[in-house]
Amino acid sequence: MRHRPRPLSRRHLLAGTAALTAGLVAVPSVAAARGSAPSADDLGRHARRARRTYDALQHHFHDPGTGLYLETYPRTEANPWSYVWPFSQALVGTQVLAGIRGHHRRYAPDVAARFAALESYWNAGTEPPGYDSYVRPPLGHGGDKFYDDNEWNALAFIQRHLMSSGGDRAALTRAAEIFDLVVHGWDTDPDHPCPGGVFWTQADWSRDRNTVSNAPGAEVGLHLYLLTGERYYLDWALRMYEWVRGCLLAPNGLYWDSIRLDGSIWEAQFSYNQGVMIGAGALLYRATGEPEYLDQARDTATRALAHYAADDRYFTQPARFHAIFFANLLRLGTLRPDPAYYDAMRAYAEQARARVHDPDTGLYRFTGDDPVLLLEQAGMLRIEAMLAWHPDDHAMLT
């Protein structure tokens, strides 16, 4: 039986919008509440840096003929193009650049080009459909589906809707298709340790269930619930969020990475693990009005900021993880402003620039003389562009 995406009716979209404007949870003006908003000079400086980082990204990684990117510069991979995970981060970096006030007209065509090229990874022949890990024929050989890869893309589609005047129905429809894929990835075997959870991939070589295959899925579902009012999205988002809380919350209040089918846990505490649970908790508060979810998000944020600031830990993890962490901190700040969120991102960006930025090329050389990763250049683009966003726009970040 062919998969049918759940329709997003005009009635549901209007109902969701009405619920938001009626105030499920009011979102205050960040600029008015935070008390230490960046100055116009600060925003302008970060916008200039973001543009230069983007120019370097395009010059060294982008192929204008296909719209695709290299995985590394110089190229070291046998495959000519990047996998979908790095591509998705270049896409969202372009989106955030276009979201800087005064930049939309200049960069909107680039955003459209990114979404067009993303379809080179779409596999409509599977049930349910989704994005393969690598470019599909004729440009590539396709690949296994990863649930977190698809969730990053769904969040980009939701951001496209939020950043579009009047919304973008097609983008929401694709996000809803991806959410159905994520639900399909839920572990239904009650005999597994910590039963439930979304698997990391459909590939048979891994049966891990991860924070980042569940919490971003919860974020997608919660955005869709807030926009449509459909209970299906809220119920599944709650299930994903609570599974992570129950299975991967560490004694120090941060989240471990994943659990294997033998019950062993990979206890790495990556910054993006914390970020997506912060984001999911904040969205759950908006969706339900229950203060416990906001309290959980703020507690994770406080603990994570202290953890990564100690012992130079920010530079033991990649920029791409921090870009996701900081985006979720800024969205949390739209509900309960805290200047520490923006300040931490700014401090990291300044340190990265001082340590690894190559002023001659505009590239961020986190790996020294080794090839530059698309993921890291895209991560720094996203961070620098977010630093240039007006605080009142942070609610559009995903």
Side-chain angles (χ1 to χ4, degrees):
M1 181 178 178
R2 188 157 185 82
H3 172 76
R4 296 183 185 177
R6 295 173 61 86
L8 291 174
S9 69
R10 183 173 182 274
R11 176 180 62 82
H12 283 132
L13 288 172
L14 289 174
T17 302
L20 281 177
T21 56
L24 286 173
V25 174
V27 179
S29 167
V30 179
R34 64 182 289 145
S36 63
S39 68
D41 287 344
D42 289 336
L43 296 179
R45 181 175 66 257
H46 292 302
R48 290 190 294 273
R49 290 180 178 179
R51 290 194 298 268
R52 287 195 290 268
T53 300
Y54 179 72
D55 289 345
L57 178 83
Q58 295 302 99
H59 178 72
H60 294 289
F61 290 91
H62 185 248
D63 175 61
T66 61
L68 300 173
Y69 285 91
L70 302 178
E71 184 92 0
T72 64
Y73 175 80
R75 177 183 155 192
T76 59
E77 305 292 320
N79 293 325
W81 313 118
S82 78
Y83 285 90
V84 74
W85 153 232
F87 183 93
S88 72
Q89 300 312 289
L91 184 157
V92 75
T94 308
Q95 282 185 292
V96 179
L97 179 65
I100 300 171
R101 292 188 178 186
H103 285 57
H104 176 75
R105 184 182 299 273
R106 178 176 177 181
Y107 292 104
D110 294 39
V111 174
R114 293 302 98 77
F115 277 102
L118 177 62
E119 294 313 291
S120 299
Y121 298 87
W122 181 252
N123 187 344
T126 53
E127 301 293 339
Y131 290 97
D132 281 1
S133 60
Y134 192 68
V135 181
R136 299 278 303 156
L139 293 175
H141 49 68
D144 297 315
K145 288 186 181 63
F146 289 75
Y147 291 105
D148 62 331
D149 288 353
N150 278 273
E151 289 159 354
W152 306 130
N153 288 326
L155 289 169
F157 278 109
I158 290 166
Q159 185 161 295
R160 187 177 196 182
H161 169 78
L162 295 175
M163 292 176 64
S164 299
S165 177
D168 188 319
R169 184 186 177 86
L172 284 186
T173 298
R174 178 50 57 88
E177 283 187 276
I178 294 171
F179 190 75
D180 287 348
L181 171 69
V182 175
V183 170
H184 178 76
W186 186 262
D187 180 15
T188 59
D189 190 333
D191 294 327
H192 286 164
C194 218
V198 177
F199 287 108
W200 180 45
T201 178
Q202 292 182 348
D204 57 12
W205 48 264
S206 172
R207 293 283 80 191
D208 294 353
R209 292 157 292 159
N210 298 53
T211 297
V212 294
S213 56
N214 286 272
E219 290 184 293
V220 174
L222 288 162
H223 279 294
L224 290 170
Y225 172 71
L226 288 165
L227 290 163
T228 68
E230 285 197 48
R231 184 78 195 193
Y232 163 82
Y233 297 116
L234 177 60
D235 289 345
W236 271 108
L238 275 165
R239 190 176 300 180
M240 294 170 193
Y241 179 83
E242 294 297 350
W243 181 86
V244 177
R245 292 273 306 173
C247 297
L248 292 173
L249 181 61
N252 67 350
L254 300 180
Y255 293 93
W256 287 317
D257 184 80
S258 55
I259 183 170
R260 306 176 183 94
L261 287 188
D262 63 5
S264 62
I265 291 174
W266 187 21
E267 295 184 356
Q269 293 186 324
F270 297 121
S271 61
Y272 73 159
N273 291 334
Q274 320 317 317
V276 289
M277 283 299 284
I278 290 167
L283 287 167
L284 272 168
Y285 172 65
R286 287 185 61 200
T288 67
E290 294 292 335
E292 67 176 304
Y293 298 122
L294 184 59
D295 291 343
Q296 289 165 1
R298 295 177 69 195
D299 181 66
T300 302
T302 299
R303 292 173 182 270
L305 287 172
H307 178 80
Y308 297 116
D311 300 322
D312 207 32
R313 287 194 182 103
Y314 276 113
F315 288 90
T316 66
Q317 296 189 20
R320 58 188 180 265
F321 290 177
H322 302 326
I324 293 168
F325 174 57
F326 292 134
N328 283 282
L329 284 179
L330 293 185
R331 281 202 293 109
L332 173 61
T334 66
L335 296 171
R336 288 295 184 272
D338 188 332
Y341 303 157
Y342 183 90
D343 291 346
M345 180 169 64
R346 177 168 52 194
Y348 172 77
E350 294 293 347
Q351 281 290 310
R353 190 171 183 83
R355 295 186 187 199
V356 300
H357 181 254
D358 181 348
D360 294 331
T361 63
L363 296 172
Y364 279 87
R365 296 188 173 276
F366 286 92
T367 53
D369 293 331
D370 290 338
V372 178
L373 300 179
L374 172 61
L375 273 167
E376 296 304 272
Q377 189 73 12
M380 288 307 303
L381 167 63
R382 187 176 183 181
I383 289 169
E384 290 175 330
M386 287 190 295
L387 284 166
W389 269 41
H390 191 283
D392 282 344
D393 298 334
H394 289 169
M396 292 189 295
L397 293 168
T398 60

